[in-house]
Amino acid sequence: MLLDWDLKNPDSNLMEKEKAAREIGELIRSRIQPDPKGDLSGVYISEADKAKQEALPEEVPAAVEAPKAEEEGGYLQTIQDAWNWLTGDDEEKPAAAAQNVTPGATTQAPALDTLKPSSRTAVEAFAKKKGITPEEANTILYNRMKALSPEVDPTTTNSISTETKDRLTSLLKDPPKVERLTASNVPVEPILGLIGGAEGSDSTDGYNATLANGELTGGKQNLVGMTLGQIDELQTKMLEHPGNRWNSSALGRYQIVQKTLRGLKAEMGLTDDMPFTKELQDRMAIQLLERRGLSKWQSGQMSDDQFMESLSKEWASLPSRTGSSYYGQRTGATRGGIMTAFNKMRGRDVASVNADEAFRSVLNSSSDLVTSNTRGYEPDLDGLHPEFRSQVSELQAAFGKALPIVSGFRDRTRNAKAGGAKDSQHTHRNAVDIDVSEWSREERVSFIRMARQMGFGGIGVYANSIHIDAGSKRAWGPSHHKDSIPAWAMEALNT
């Protein structure tokens, strides 16, 4: 019975398990009543016991006594005793379990090959500890778990419902060792997808990616099939490898290094026998986001720039608020790309967003950009960074009007002829100039405000064109200084 839910729901996700755990917690708390003997700890009352209490005459409530185990520590002690018996060496059943089974009775355990990987790992660890076969361990654990759950008469009005039994089964079968984040309702997939793309893992082996594509690990590795203990050993070998010029042990979709992973294990209550699954890697990344201010950013206590700066300290491939790497290395994303991910996190439901699709949508927007040769040459849009080009496309779609681009990527020679700054964002593939000669002032103000809101850092306002780029937040006018910005544009730029 205890494994029914797990076998019937092999594809259950984190949110379903979290919801069940939360509801079960509320159910358990609602059944804790003051100890009639005056002890500080409460007494857990099951639905069946509650029905018996209600059937007694009102004037004799004292006839209902707490289980003997409650005298030594309350309901928490009973639960602890049961858990210790389930996974320990003591063959004697705790009182709470002994009441629910027939001595010597056993039932057929589910086949090992039908168990989830995490369940099988637990069975094999128990078998090793006891010196028995995995099949024997599976049968012992299965029957011990059955012993911890009472058989309830379904004809009794107050018997526990099938739905509740299923949820309790899930909780007992897979105790929540990993911390469940309070920010779980935040749709983080867009930023997770962006990180996977920026780190380069999504373009190689994804959750199985290792630094240098296997050069430091003796070839490609099936990381999701390894335990955390095995991952730690692998990272030690990576650091000891003579060809590791980076002195790094980064691996997995989010390129987590050994020191960080060890910290996460302690922080999240993880153990070495837990598999390094895709789901666990996602949880770890979310925990790192939380470390860097996810909840504060969500509640408005941290600005976009502050959150972006904080993330850049965790992942070197992400740009800081200035648009460059916090550690001075090449970035795999732009400031604008991060702002796009932030906006998706604000406006889309988590259940409707797939991490891989989120990153691809950043790179492949549906709007087609248009060009104008009013400056005497055809602008180079193919040379633009794909992510920046996608962001401009999204701006065009949001603005609802074609953005005639008169300048895109410029090599050093073309940039010099155009009179551009020596280190112009045009030469870094992250800038465009838009012809606004036929736009009204109202349209220009609306465009500037929208560009600022969508995360474009640099905005230059000229008589007949507007420059936008993915660099740090700044603005200038015709003289290339902020003191020449037209008065009508100032309010929009400060949005």
Side-chain angles (χ1 to χ4, degrees), residues 153-435:
D153 182 1
T155 63
T156 303
T157 303
N158 288 330
S159 292
I160 189 169
S161 67
T162 300
E163 181 181 7
T164 302
K165 285 195 294 182
D166 286 345
R167 289 172 179 163
L168 284 169
T169 296
S170 176
L171 184 62
L172 285 172
K173 181 64 182 68
D174 185 20
K177 295 180 180 179
V178 179
E179 179 182 358
R180 309 301 188 185
L181 296 176
T182 56
S184 60
N185 61 325
V186 180
V188 294
E189 279 81 356
I191 196 66
L192 293 183
L194 188 69
I195 294 169
E199 290 291 329
S201 51
D202 281 357
S203 61
T204 54
D205 297 314
Y207 290 92
N208 290 317
T210 58
L211 179 68
N213 297 318
E215 291 182 14
L216 308 179
T217 56
K220 295 184 182 297
Q221 301 290 324
N222 180 30
L223 301 184
V224 297
M226 299 171 69
T227 65
L228 292 180
Q230 293 170 330
I231 291 292
D232 188 79
E233 292 176 0
L234 181 65
Q235 289 184 307
T236 296
K237 292 180 180 178
M238 291 174 67
L239 291 171
E240 294 174 347
H241 195 286
N244 190 345
R245 62 181 183 277
W246 305 276
N247 191 33
S248 173
S249 56
L251 49 67
R253 188 188 189 201
Y254 307 104
Q255 294 293 281
I256 302 176
V257 298
Q258 186 181 58
K259 181 179 179 180
T260 299
L261 198 147
R262 286 178 174 177
L264 287 171
K265 283 167 58 180
E267 194 173 313
M268 300 170 69
L270 307 178
T271 56
D272 282 341
D273 59 351
M274 296 184 69
F276 194 51
T277 61
K278 295 180 180 180
E279 181 186 56
L280 183 54
Q281 291 187 44
D282 286 342
R283 290 180 185 175
M284 288 180 165
I286 293 172
Q287 184 68 20
L288 292 176
L289 290 174
E290 188 68 14
R291 277 189 189 178
R292 293 298 179 178
L294 176 61
S295 292
K296 290 183 178 180
W297 172 77
Q298 180 201 10
S299 63
Q301 300 177 49
M302 179 179 281
S303 69
D304 288 346
D305 276 355
Q306 289 173 326
F307 191 32
M308 189 182 302
E309 185 80 8
S310 187
L311 292 180
S312 72
K313 297 176 182 179
E314 190 67 52
W315 286 282
S317 64
L318 299 183
S320 64
R321 72 177 82 189
T322 64
S324 58
S325 169
Y326 181 82
Y327 297 99
Q329 66 180 57
R330 183 186 66 82
T331 60
T334 65
R335 173 188 168 86
I338 293 181
M339 287 304 303
T340 298
F342 284 178
N343 288 331
K344 288 180 182 294
M345 290 167 69
R346 292 188 181 100
R348 297 185 64 180
D349 182 72
V350 62
S352 67
V353 182
N354 173 274
D356 295 329
E357 293 175 352
F359 185 65
R360 285 197 295 271
S361 70
V362 173
L363 299 181
N364 302 302
S365 184
S366 59
S367 299
D368 294 328
L369 297 176
V370 297
T371 60
S372 169
N373 59 3
T374 56
R375 291 187 178 177
Y377 60 86
E378 188 65 27
D380 183 355
L381 300 189
D382 293 335
L384 293 174
H385 192 295
E387 193 176 327
F388 176 75
R389 178 169 177 164
S390 176
Q391 187 187 11
V392 176
S393 294
E394 291 185 2
L395 174 59
Q396 176 174 271
F399 189 56
K401 182 175 182 175
L403 307 180
I405 298 174
V406 294
S407 185
F409 165 64
R410 300 195 298 233
D411 58 25
R412 298 294 178 182
T413 301
R414 175 175 287 186
N415 187 60
K417 290 181 179 179
K422 183 178 180 180
D423 198 34
S424 170
Q425 285 292 325
H426 284 283
T427 65
H428 292 289
R429 307 175 186 274
N430 288 322
V432 294
D433 292 343
I434 298 166
D435 181 8

